[in-house]
Amino acid sequence: MAYDEPGRAGSAEPAPGVPAAVLENVFDDPAHGEPGRDRIAVHLVWEIVLLVGLVALVLLLRREDADTLRGDGLRTLLVDVVALGLLALAAGLSLRTAAVNLAVGPVAVAAALHFSEQGDRGVTAALTPALVAAAVGGLALALAVVVLHVPGWAASLAAAAGVIVYIERRSSPVVVQADYDPRRTAYYLFAGFAAVAALGGLFGAIRAVRRVVGRFRPVVDPARRRGVLAALVTAVSLVGSTVLAMLAGVLLAANGTGPVAPVSGLDWTVLAVGVAMLGGTSAYGRRGGIFGTLLAVGVVAVFLAWAAAHGWTVSRWTVAGAALGAGLVVTRLVEACGRPRGVSGEPAEITPAGDGMIISGWSLPRSSSVDNWPPALPAQSTGTPPDPWEAPRWETGPRRWDDDDR
């Protein structure tokens, strides 16, 4: 029903009496009362934990198979890190705008199949139509999300279903026919990915940038539109995430040792979203770390290399599910410990407009002061109260049973 409840038509506002300058600093979106100035310390602490875990896994991998960390083995590992990192960046970019793109995995598999089939024509000839298709598909997805104002996960899941239809047109694995070898430029690829991930995290830590990126995150009613700027930023993020997923698929195909199987790619989606959340990106949007994505990608990639060197066969679904489960815990940690502090050092509490009003004029009484507790008892009367058994109606008039006795 299209109506607003009395007392709740206004947006959430902080307590009255707060100066405008303080309001601007304490709240990320003063017009809607959305908390801002997120505390970054929780991200830094978690990134230290990820760094320690990455160092430990590297030492384990070195003890198990030192050749993986030098020469061709290291270049192959770095390309794997970049491919997984591009998928994690694609998922993280859409997560930060509160419109997660669940089609990144199928898009990567479709791009890998296309590159495997058309790679013999040259890298440029194979990449150009894939780039155009990814940009157009991302734009269509973005228009569906921002124009219809629907959740990104639902729209991207529908887009993933359409991409899977394209993938299932192949009945057998496709042999990579391109002669492009990304291992020759592995160090440059890794340096570029690390720079993009770190700079993106640093810019995301700036309050003004975080405001713009996270404006699509709902603050009151998710049916309310968040403005043209929020729609534009969300559209750009969805297009960018689709293009990044396409580039990741090309690297996966070129760095592989066998043919590309026509699978759904949803396991890559779960893994990408899980790694992004494991790095500190909130599932609710807006909040994210600085170096978390880079470290989380390194942890997962090195773990997979160590498991392969150890002779274990680990399903991608297993790793993806574990990463996503841990990412949910990290999201709770980020949301609980990353919320802003108020002026007096206490967490900022949001008070809805018209506090104390529920529906149609029903009001909640304000709590009274407890300074005079216990309350003073009322003055007692000094007179003796009348005895009801001595009322005149009990003493006057003839009694019926006495008349009957006569």
Side-chain angles (χ1 to χ4, degrees):
M1 298 180 65
Y3 64 89
D4 292 328
E5 297 179 357
R8 294 190 182 273
S11 58
E13 297 176 356
V18 180
V22 175
L23 184 68
E24 180 70 18
N25 290 328
V26 174
F27 291 91
D28 188 25
D29 191 352
H32 296 84
E34 184 178 7
R37 299 191 67 181
D38 302 327
R39 288 176 282 176
I40 306 298
V42 60
H43 294 282
L44 297 179
V45 172
W46 176 245
E47 288 167 7
I48 292 175
V49 175
L50 289 176
L51 180 60
V52 173
L54 177 60
V55 172
L57 285 173
V58 169
L59 293 178
L60 289 175
L61 178 59
R62 181 180 180 182
R63 187 177 64 179
E64 190 69 31
D65 186 7
D67 292 337
T68 308
L69 298 176
R70 58 172 177 258
D72 292 338
L74 178 59
R75 286 189 286 269
T76 301
L77 178 61
L78 289 179
V79 175
D80 287 338
V81 169
V82 174
L84 179 58
L86 290 177
L87 277 176
L89 284 179
L93 178 61
S94 59
L95 274 173
R96 289 290 286 262
T97 57
V100 61
N101 187 357
L102 298 182
V104 293
V107 168
V109 174
L113 290 170
H114 171 79
F115 183 77
S116 300
E117 295 171 343
Q118 306 296 328
D120 54 347
R121 300 169 50 193
V123 176
T124 303
L127 281 181
T128 301
L131 181 62
V132 172
V136 172
L139 182 60
L141 173 61
L143 291 177
V145 171
V146 301
V147 173
L148 299 179
H149 197 69
V150 295
W153 65 266
S156 60
L157 196 60
V163 177
I164 292 174
V165 172
Y166 168 81
I167 294 173
E168 289 182 343
R169 296 175 58 187
R170 282 85 176 167
S171 57
S172 59
V174 179
V175 179
V176 181
Q177 303 181 20
D179 56 356
Y180 169 66
D181 187 4
R183 290 179 286 268
R184 293 195 294 263
T185 57
Y187 298 106
Y188 298 103
L189 291 173
F190 178 76
F193 158 69
V196 171
L199 290 176
L202 287 172
F203 278 109
I206 300 174
R207 182 165 60 98
V209 176
R210 190 179 63 252
R211 280 187 176 186
V212 175
V213 172
R215 279 198 61 85
F216 202 72
R217 169 173 166 161
V219 294
V220 184
D221 187 343
R224 296 184 180 180
R225 297 182 181 271
R226 298 286 288 141
V228 177
L229 181 60
L232 180 61
V233 172
T234 303
V236 172
S237 72
L238 289 174
V239 174
S241 64
T242 307
V243 172
L244 288 174
M246 183 274 299
L247 295 176
V250 172
L251 289 180
L252 289 174
N255 196 44
T257 58
V260 178
V263 294
S264 65
L266 292 178
D267 51 348
W268 284 110
T269 292
V270 178
L271 182 60
V273 175
V275 170
M277 292 172 57
L278 183 64
T281 304
S282 174
Y284 296 103
R286 197 182 81 206
R287 295 188 171 103
I290 300 176
F291 305 102
T293 301
L294 178 61
L295 295 173
V297 168
V299 167
V300 174
V302 174
F303 170 77
L304 291 174
W306 174 74
H310 203 68
W312 294 350
T313 302
V314 181
S315 171
R316 190 178 299 116
W317 280 108
T318 303
V319 180
L324 186 58
L328 292 174
V329 177
V330 175
T331 288
R332 176 56 186 165
L333 179 68
V334 167
E335 291 291 334
C337 300
R339 54 184 306 206
R341 289 188 180 275
V343 181
S344 61
E346 296 296 329
E349 297 290 344
I350 306 306
T351 304
D355 183 49
M357 300 296 294
I358 298 185
I359 298 177
S360 302
W362 289 85
S363 62
L364 295 176
R366 301 287 183 177
S367 59
S368 59
S369 175
V370 296
D371 294 338
N372 296 325
W373 180 261
L377 296 176
Q380 299 293 329
S381 176
T382 58
T384 303
D387 189 356
W389 296 97
E390 297 178 356
R393 64 185 182 89
W394 295 97
E395 299 295 338
T396 60
R399 293 179 294 183
R400 181 177 297 177
W401 53 83
D402 294 339
D403 297 338
D404 294 341
D405 291 341
R406 295 195 186 109

